Amino acid sequence: FADKVPFTGGTGAIMDVHTGELLALTSYPEYEPNILTLGDDSKTIASYNTDPRKPFIDRFISGLYTPGSIVKPFMAIGALEEKVIDPNKKILSIGYILVPNPYDPKRPSRFNDWRAHGLVDMRLAIAYSSDVYFYEIGGGFGDQKGIGIVNIEKYATMFGLATSTGIALAGEAGGTIPGPEWKAKMFDGEPWRLGDTYNTVIGQYGFQVTPIQMLRAVSSLANSGTLLTPTLEASTTHIDTKLTIPENEFEIVREGMRQGVLIGTAKGLNTDAVKVAGKTGTAQLGVDKRFDNSWVMGFFPYDHPRYAFVVMMEKGPITNTIGATYVMRQTLDYMTAHTPEYLESK
């Protein structure tokens, strides 16, 4: 699939949300270890070394990617924790917001949504992935208070983003949560601006995470706040972290993710075989934004979660209409036919 679209590469995994055991894990493009061990196929070895897709990188633990909208459920938790909004309050998205420009009142700064969503509450904002809603609860707008960049970093870190997961594999990368100090260092003392907060709360700007971090984070939504240590086999000795967040806040976010599958951006995962909750993300790349990373994360079965998943397809054309959600749907269809026991509630 990655070659057909085309994407540069991709990765995906499924994890038990109670034990941290990784049931499935893949990183593409792959290489054949036996060829390297034998060392006599110099042509193939040379192709590995010169392949611009970098097949030696384990994208799951070592790949750093802009997450885009898959950070929104965690920002929603932050807004609930900081009590800046009632989850039933509706915010109007006409497709953008205009922020006054103190230097030129005739030229306000425009921050676009990916479409006009109309009035959305927190659950629908997650389901439809409304940027305007998250701009407002992230940085504030009009009479709507935002949590601010300090709390954006606080809650992203709380859920393990840009932080080591503790998996027993070499080469795990860290990541970046943008903030004033990071910007000043990266851009020669540039001050932090409101627009930077808006872009960060929707997972853009300098935000970088690994797929394993996102899998661990979404698992904590499914299991009501336990950050697991991912393992390659079931274990009772790993150390987990329990987040002190009320159950009703997790329920709100989970309901939004379920709505995302039923009527929102993740409806490609709506299958009769199992109830799925999901959240998609599209992270634009580069100045010209001709490419993007396609993400989907979630868990199943919805009523009694057993497994969480993440799929990330790397650097596909912005004109592409299929991506990570399509890949995960194919996985669910395969499981329905060949391993239906994994889709059943216990």
Side-chain angles (χ1 to χ4, degrees), residues 24-41:
L25 167 61
T26 186
S27 178
Y28 180 84
E30 300 171 304
Y31 63 92
E32 177 52 61
N34 287 336
I35 291 179
L36 298 179
T37 301
L38 295 173
D40 52 5
D41 189 347

Side-chain angles (χ1 to χ4, degrees), residues 78-144:
L80 294 172
E81 281 286 283
E82 298 300 316
K83 297 178 171 51
V84 300
I85 195 169
D86 183 291
N88 297 312
K89 176 184 176 180
K90 294 182 179 180
I91 288 177
L92 177 64
S93 168
I94 61 172
Y96 60 89
I97 57 173
L98 295 176
V99 177
N101 184 341
Y103 306 103
D104 186 352
K106 295 181 180 180
R107 300 180 63 184
S109 299
R110 178 175 172 135
F111 296 89
N112 291 323
D113 210 325
W114 67 276
R115 75 173 190 187
H117 298 284
L119 288 167
V120 292
D121 61 13
M122 182 173 282
R123 295 171 179 83
L124 287 178
I126 293 171
Y128 294 138
S129 202
S130 170
D131 289 336
V132 162
Y133 183 95
F134 284 91
Y135 292 152
E136 296 198 19
I137 68 169
F141 183 76
D143 62 358
Q144 174 58 54

Side-chain angles (χ1 to χ4, degrees), residues 9-336:
T11 184
I14 298 174
M15 186 170 80
D16 188 306
V17 303
H18 302 293
T19 68
E21 181 184 8
L22 290 162
L23 276 71
L25 167 61
T26 186
S27 178
Y28 180 84
E30 300 171 304
Y31 63 92
E32 177 52 61
N34 287 336
I35 291 179
L36 298 179
T37 301
L38 295 173
D40 52 5
D41 189 347
S42 58
K43 183 177 180 180
T44 299
I45 294 172
S47 71
Y48 290 156
N49 289 321
T50 58
D51 191 335
R53 301 174 302 167
K54 301 178 180 178
F56 292 128
I57 292 179
D58 182 342
R59 284 162 163 79
F60 182 60
I61 65 169
S62 302
L64 286 170
Y65 303 100
T66 304
S69 293
I70 56 172
V71 304
K72 289 176 179 175
F74 312 105
M75 299 299 102
I77 292 282
L80 294 172
E81 281 286 283
E82 298 300 316
K83 297 178 171 51
V84 300
I85 195 169
D86 183 291
N88 297 312
K89 176 184 176 180
K90 294 182 179 180
I91 288 177
L92 177 64
S93 168
I94 61 172
Y96 60 89
I97 57 173
L98 295 176
V99 177
N101 184 341
Y103 306 103
D104 186 352
K106 295 181 180 180
R107 300 180 63 184
S109 299
R110 178 175 172 135
F111 296 89
N112 291 323
D113 210 325
W114 67 276
R115 75 173 190 187
H117 298 284
L119 288 167
V120 292
D121 61 13
M122 182 173 282
R123 295 171 179 83
L124 287 178
I126 293 171
Y128 294 138
S129 202
S130 170
D131 289 336
V132 162
Y133 183 95
F134 284 91
Y135 292 152
E136 296 198 19
I137 68 169
F141 183 76
D143 62 358
Q144 174 58 54
K145 186 178 179 181
I147 61 175
I149 189 58
V150 171
N151 282 317
I152 289 172
E153 181 177 10
K154 172 185 173 181
Y155 289 98
T157 302
M158 181 182 295
F159 282 96
L161 307 189
T163 304
S164 173
T165 67
I167 191 172
L169 290 174
E172 185 177 5
T176 301
I177 304 168
E181 291 184 8
W182 169 86
K183 184 180 181 183
K185 180 179 179 181
M186 295 296 294
F187 297 99
D188 195 25
E190 282 264 341
W192 188 263
R193 296 184 171 87
L194 177 60
D196 301 327
T197 301
Y198 284 164
N199 286 320
T200 300
V201 78
I202 63 167
Q204 292 280 169
Y205 202 36
F207 220 135
Q208 286 197 313
V209 298
T210 62
I212 191 174
Q213 291 166 5
M214 297 311 307
L215 181 61
R216 184 187 189 213
V218 74
S219 293
S220 74
L221 297 179
N223 65 29
S224 298
T226 300
L227 277 175
L228 301 163
T229 301
T231 62
L232 299 180
E233 57 184 22
S235 171
T236 58
T237 61
H238 56 81
I239 300 173
D240 301 327
T241 302
K242 182 65 178 178
L243 305 179
T244 55
I245 294 172
E247 174 64 17
N248 71 296
E249 295 180 5
F250 286 112
E251 289 177 355
I252 290 165
V253 169
R254 288 194 295 257
E255 288 165 4
M257 293 175 67
R258 176 59 180 159
Q259 288 297 303
V261 171
L262 293 175
I263 61 173
T265 60
K267 59 188 176 184
L269 300 181
N270 190 11
T271 168
D272 292 335
V274 63
K275 291 182 179 179
V276 180
K279 180 73 193 78
T280 61
T282 302
Q284 296 176 333
L285 305 176
V287 176
D288 56 8
K289 299 179 180 178
R290 292 187 301 114
F291 299 94
D292 61 31
N293 293 334
S294 174
W295 290 86
V296 70
M297 68 178 192
F299 57 88
F300 60 88
Y302 171 70
D303 296 318
H304 301 283
R306 292 178 63 193
Y307 304 110
F309 61 86
V310 66
V311 175
M312 191 285 305
M313 300 302 293
E314 176 187 312
K315 197 179 179 182
I318 196 70
T319 54
N320 180 38
T321 58
I322 55 176
T325 301
Y326 174 86
V327 174
M328 189 61 208
R329 177 54 186 265
Q330 303 309 301
T331 302
L332 290 171
D333 289 347
Y334 177 90
M335 294 173 71
T336 301

